Amino acid sequence: MGILEKIAEIEREIARTQKNKATEYHLGLLKAKLAKYRAQLLEPKSTGAKGEGFDVMKSGDARVALIGFPSVGKSTFLSLMTSTASEAASYEFTTLTCIPGVIEYKGANIQLLDLPGIIEGAAQGKGRGRQVIAVARTADVVIMMLDATKGEVQRELLEKELESVGIRLNRSKPNIYFKPKKGGGLSYNSTVPLTMCSEKLVQLILHEYKIFNAEVLFREDSTPDEFIDVIVGNRVYMPCLYVYNKVDQISIEEVDRLAHRANSVIIRSDICVCVCVGVCNSFLWCVCKYVVLLSPTQCHRIHRTLASQFKYALVWGTSTKYSPQRVGLTHIMEHEDVIQIVKK
């Protein structure tokens, strides 16, 4: 039985198993096995054959990946947002490779990637799904382009595909301390009441990964899936902006509903450029917020040794009580703040 068949069998077993107190350990083991097989599926295979390059060199202050099904308007969106001309047509799979563009916004250079449309089953290798998802994992922000006429179908399918390959959208890393040890068995503790995980379940999941000695500390009430993510360690957590295109083909009530969803904007990218200007501002604000506030490697962007030689910094701007204010590495900057770094 191949990996795909094993994955399908486990997914069927999870679907038909009732979720209750008596089955929580069985479901936890199934999810651990499923995560292992999915990780094996994503391992690169060396075929010896040379093919066309797909990824492009990362540049600028942030990388944004355009993800969506074929013919949802990704290429048109890229052409409107940047000076790059990406071929757009009424037939599917117009874009067959990764096309980069650059946006300059208030001193930030943002790399925008137009990726080929993916189809259901991309995580299992259908189409160019694995290549598209591999590039998406290197992005700082994801823009999910959706056809507003399809309802929630496309969004749910794309989220499922990205979830299955370890991409977590608009979520933070679970606050769980995990450290394998050479001996001493399992040290299990929590600082909050746990309603979804227990010591026995944690032990069973660790045994599935051949881990018998470890320190585990839950600092929040986490699910078994989140604990598995911490064990695997290769999950990617990134912000996502949902862009609904073709809103001229749906009712005004549906437009209003989509416009009020969290992390979502609506556009008609083919002719209504003025609407896209509003999307640009929302999108660029989201990206700049990531670049300034959320990236943990800003010192590394300046120089790779700057973080280790950091002594203190002086900050002028809205993130401080007074200007300048002396801060440390944990200070959270705000957009357009000015910083002076002093080395040891």
Side-chain angles (χ1 to χ4, degrees), residues 106 171 263 282-283 303:
K106 293 187 177 181
R171 287 159 55 183
N263 306 308
S282 300
F283 153 67
H303 196 276

Side-chain angles (χ1 to χ4, degrees), residues 31-327:
K31 291 176 179 179
K33 291 180 179 179
L34 184 61
K36 285 177 61 178
Y37 287 133
R38 282 175 172 170
Q40 294 176 21
L41 190 65
L42 293 176
E43 291 176 357
K45 297 180 180 180
S46 178
T47 59
K50 294 183 178 180
E52 181 185 357
F54 190 83
D55 196 8
V56 296
M57 182 179 295
K58 192 171 184 177
S59 65
D61 299 295
R63 166 177 280 193
V64 180
L66 276 172
I67 293 180
F69 283 96
S71 299
V72 294
K74 298 187 302 297
S75 298
T76 304
F77 187 79
L78 177 75
S79 300
L80 288 172
M81 296 284 287
T82 72
S83 59
T84 303
S86 182
E87 184 180 356
S90 58
Y91 54 86
E92 294 185 347
F93 300 105
T94 309
T95 304
L96 299 176
T97 188
C98 179
I99 301 176
V102 176
I103 306 169
E104 294 182 6
Y105 181 76
K106 293 187 177 181
N109 291 319
I110 303 165
Q111 185 182 50
L112 183 61
L113 301 181
D114 179 15
L115 299 174
I118 63 177
I119 58 177
E120 186 177 0
Q124 283 74 43
K126 292 184 179 180
R128 305 194 72 177
R130 288 190 189 177
Q131 292 170 296
V132 172
I133 290 172
V135 176
R137 286 179 65 90
T138 68
D140 300 309
V141 181
V142 166
I143 287 189
M144 189 179 292
M145 292 289 295
L146 302 165
D147 187 338
T149 64
K150 305 295 183 181
E152 301 299 327
V153 176
Q154 289 189 344
R155 177 168 174 167
E156 292 173 358
L157 289 174
L158 287 173
E159 287 178 336
K160 181 181 177 182
E161 293 293 330
L162 297 179
E163 180 84 11
S164 67
V165 295
I167 298 178
R168 306 293 184 251
L169 302 177
N170 295 324
R171 287 159 55 183
S172 58
K173 186 176 181 180
N175 194 1
I176 303 173
Y177 174 78
F178 169 71
K179 182 180 180 180
K181 301 186 299 183
K182 294 183 179 180
L186 173 63
S187 174
Y188 171 86
N189 288 289
S190 65
T191 59
V192 295
L194 300 181
T195 61
M196 295 172 283
C197 282
S198 65
E199 184 174 359
K200 181 180 178 181
L201 179 57
V202 166
Q203 192 172 38
L204 288 173
I205 292 174
L206 289 174
H207 287 180
E208 181 64 31
Y209 285 89
K210 310 299 181 186
I211 300 174
F212 303 97
N213 306 285
E215 291 182 24
V216 178
L217 174 62
F218 284 81
R219 297 191 178 99
E220 64 182 11
D221 190 13
S222 303
T223 65
D225 293 304
E226 291 173 331
F227 179 60
I228 292 170
D229 286 348
V230 173
I231 296 173
V232 175
N234 65 348
R235 303 316 192 208
V236 179
Y237 300 86
M238 64 178 69
C240 175
L241 184 65
Y242 300 93
V243 179
Y244 290 89
N245 193 15
K246 306 178 182 179
V247 293
D248 57 308
Q249 301 177 30
I250 59 176
S251 66
I252 191 64
E253 292 79 13
E254 181 68 4
V255 170
D256 183 68
R257 187 186 71 84
L258 294 177
H260 285 87
R261 294 203 62 177
N263 306 308
S264 302
V265 291
I266 57 173
I267 66 171
R268 182 183 174 186
S269 63
D270 54 349
I271 60 172
C272 193
V273 180
C274 60
V275 174
C276 283
V277 171
V279 176
C280 291
N281 291 332
S282 300
F283 153 67
L284 292 172
W285 177 86
C286 176
V287 174
C288 287
K289 181 180 178 183
Y290 174 84
V291 173
V292 176
L293 301 180
L294 306 180
S295 175
T297 58
Q298 285 305 300
C299 286
H300 293 283
R301 294 180 187 274
I302 302 172
H303 196 276
R304 67 173 65 92
T305 64
L306 189 56
S308 60
Q309 297 177 0
F310 181 92
K311 185 176 181 181
Y312 66 90
L314 297 174
V315 175
W316 292 259
T318 56
S319 67
T320 61
K321 294 181 179 179
Y322 48 88
S323 296
Q325 179 177 333
R326 180 167 170 165
V327 300

